[in-house]
Amino acid sequence: MHRTAIQRGVLTLLALASVALGLPAAAAEAGPSASPRLPPTAPSAVPHTRPETRPSDDRIAHVLAGTARPLSDLGPLRRMIGDASIVGMGEATHGSHEFFRTKVRVFKELVRRDGFATFALEANWNAGVRLNDHVLHGTGDPRQIMREEFQNAYFIWNTQEYLDLIRWMRDHNVRHPQRPVHFMGNDSAYAGPHLFDLVTEYIGERHPGLLTEFTRLYRASRPPASASVDQTMKAYLAKPLAERRRLAADVQRALVLLERQRPGQDRERHSWAVQHARAVAQVGGMYAFDYAAPEGVAEMMRYRDRIMAENTVWWQRQTGRRVLLSAHNGHVAYESSNPAQYPKVQGAFLRDMIGDAYVNVGFTFGRGSFRALDLTDPAEPVRTFTVGPPEPGSAEVVLERVSRRNYSIDLRSAPSAARTWLNEARPVRSIGAGWPDPPQAVRLAPSYDVLIHLPRITPAHLL
């Protein structure tokens, strides 16, 4: 069954970036007629400088080449990051090995040399809690946790690359218990039984008089233990809007009630319990928007990106350690390339909240392959797609000429000869969890502090 742009978008808007996936049939009650499919090579309609005024591509590439630094040495990139407490690292596709590999390599170096201690992912808080428990204490099997948590629109994280990262983090903590690393999920589309139980167990121990009320407020929102992430998300979306809003109000009341309690002597445990209750309330809030209306989707996306930013800042302040934040380019950026659907993105919220303590890194690529859902197939199976050289007029055409090797550029200190080019919107590939996904109009310099360009990419290895 073909899906409309809004229908295809809701689940992805809940979980990933820059691509439409789809509503379950039960939640797709009010959809208009199906939108046309774009061929994989369809040119973007985004603006670019007129040929008669555009600087020579060769000239711009030559200027940028003088500032490019090969990624074979991470020293320059570390200096670009500076003393930022949160570093957002994007990706131009959700399904390519090289973006994962580069971020993990950078993270390991930042842990070793610069005091970073958390890898934060565009994944649900619930998943992060469970994986962090494994990373810190060895609890559970990471492969099983990932299989259980990375479902629905989050399937793209269920990769060998992330399993390898989790295993490295656990091994690091065994070898270096005095300086542990953490895994965090900052997103808010699913809260599982484990998360509800963390809150009610704390209430039962510290505020037993409130347990009956918390049980009542959580009863309808707490998913059954037998329900999968995918089943739970679909069931929630299938509920009428009025019911979803009642559930959101209940979990919000529980949060407010817990926030009013005195923390006692164990302030840290109280802080974590409140944050877990906040994560439950955030999930309720995600489903309280009217997805049948474009403005409802846009409001939800603004809410979601704000929540992700707030969760990341809370975590960084709570742990007191530096964070590498991994998400799509569209979330770590300062500017939205699709304001109608993404009015304000996580990177902009982070900059508002902590200023220059947030630094971001965008990714581009020349050609190669990625895994994604096939949006031209009614069953939407996960497939491998390959794209060739970038199209004329795109930013990648010039970036490909800068160097044949992987490289980084500090856009904040780019030469004046390149500033105009970097400040103008040009088509840039921005591929989420599904394909086709047309380029977005991106102003590189206003969107990112640092840019990493990879000439070739290959598919991620799904488990």
Side-chain angles (χ1 to χ4, degrees), residues 118 120-133 149-150 154 183-192 194-196 198-199 271-283 307-316 318-319:
T118 294
L121 178 62
E122 183 191 340
N124 287 315
W125 183 271
N126 194 88
V129 168
R130 294 186 65 194
L131 286 170
N132 192 51
D133 201 21
E149 292 289 336
F150 295 154
Y154 295 94
F183 185 91
M184 176 208 179
N186 71 350
D187 209 349
S188 52
Y190 170 79
H194 179 66
L195 201 56
F196 286 87
L198 288 174
V199 179
S271 294
W272 282 100
V274 170
Q275 178 60 21
H276 294 325
R278 184 175 297 118
V280 169
Q282 289 168 353
V283 173
I307 290 304
M308 291 194 293
E310 290 177 352
N311 285 342
T312 305
V313 171
W314 181 90
W315 183 288
Q316 192 279 319
Q318 179 70 18
T319 63

Side-chain angles (χ1 to χ4, degrees), residues 299-341:
E299 290 169 3
M300 181 274 289
M301 276 310 310
R302 181 184 178 94
Y303 171 87
R304 178 191 174 214
D305 274 56
R306 175 174 63 82
I307 290 304
M308 291 194 293
E310 290 177 352
N311 285 342
T312 305
V313 171
W314 181 90
W315 183 288
Q316 192 279 319
R317 290 173 175 170
Q318 179 70 18
T319 63
R321 305 290 296 279
R322 304 172 76 183
V323 174
L324 187 146
L325 168 62
S326 175
H328 195 273
N329 279 351
H331 287 303
V332 304
Y334 298 122
E335 287 191 351
S336 173
S337 59
N338 184 4
Q341 202 168 57

Side-chain angles (χ1 to χ4, degrees), residues 107 111 116-117 132 135-136 168-169 172-173 179-183:
F107 178 63
V111 168
F116 279 70
N132 192 51
V135 165
L136 290 177
W168 176 84
M169 295 175 76
H172 170 92
N173 288 344
R179 49 185 184 92
V181 293
H182 302 263
F183 185 91

Side-chain angles (χ1 to χ4, degrees), residues 336-411:
S336 173
S337 59
N338 184 4
Q341 202 168 57
Y342 297 81
K344 185 173 181 178
V345 293
Q346 179 179 202
F349 283 111
L350 285 167
R351 175 55 62 89
D352 288 347
M353 295 171 68
I354 63 175
D356 292 342
Y358 175 67
V359 168
N360 70 6
V361 181
F363 276 83
T364 55
F365 72 97
R367 67 184 74 187
S369 303
F370 53 90
R371 296 195 191 278
L373 296 175
D374 185 350
L375 298 181
T376 68
D377 189 314
E380 294 184 344
V382 180
R383 294 177 176 165
T384 298
F385 296 92
T386 299
V387 293
E391 296 187 9
S394 67
E396 292 95 337
V397 164
V398 175
L399 296 171
E400 278 285 270
R401 298 178 184 177
V402 171
S403 175
R404 295 182 180 180
R405 305 169 63 185
N406 299 341
Y407 65 86
S408 62
I409 295 178
D410 191 333
L411 301 180

Side-chain angles (χ1 to χ4, degrees), residues 240-313:
L241 177 60
E243 182 179 354
R244 285 185 270 132
R245 287 178 171 171
R246 286 196 299 271
L247 297 179
D250 283 347
V251 292
Q252 180 64 30
R253 289 190 192 99
L255 169 61
V256 172
L257 186 57
L258 181 53
E259 287 177 324
R260 291 173 177 170
Q261 307 309 308
R262 295 181 180 276
Q265 295 182 340
D266 193 347
R267 290 182 174 272
E268 182 173 0
R269 188 178 178 202
H270 176 80
S271 294
W272 282 100
V274 170
Q275 178 60 21
H276 294 325
R278 184 175 297 118
V280 169
Q282 289 168 353
V283 173
M286 284 284 289
Y287 292 95
F289 294 91
D290 183 2
Y291 297 127
E295 60 271 19
V297 175
E299 290 169 3
M300 181 274 289
M301 276 310 310
R302 181 184 178 94
Y303 171 87
R304 178 191 174 214
D305 274 56
R306 175 174 63 82
I307 290 304
M308 291 194 293
E310 290 177 352
N311 285 342
T312 305
V313 171

Side-chain angles (χ1 to χ4, degrees), residues 14 24 99 164 205 292 296 305 309 317 334 415 421 435:
L14 289 172
F99 298 127
D164 291 343
E205 291 178 23
D305 274 56
R317 290 173 175 170
Y334 298 122
W421 186 87
W435 182 255

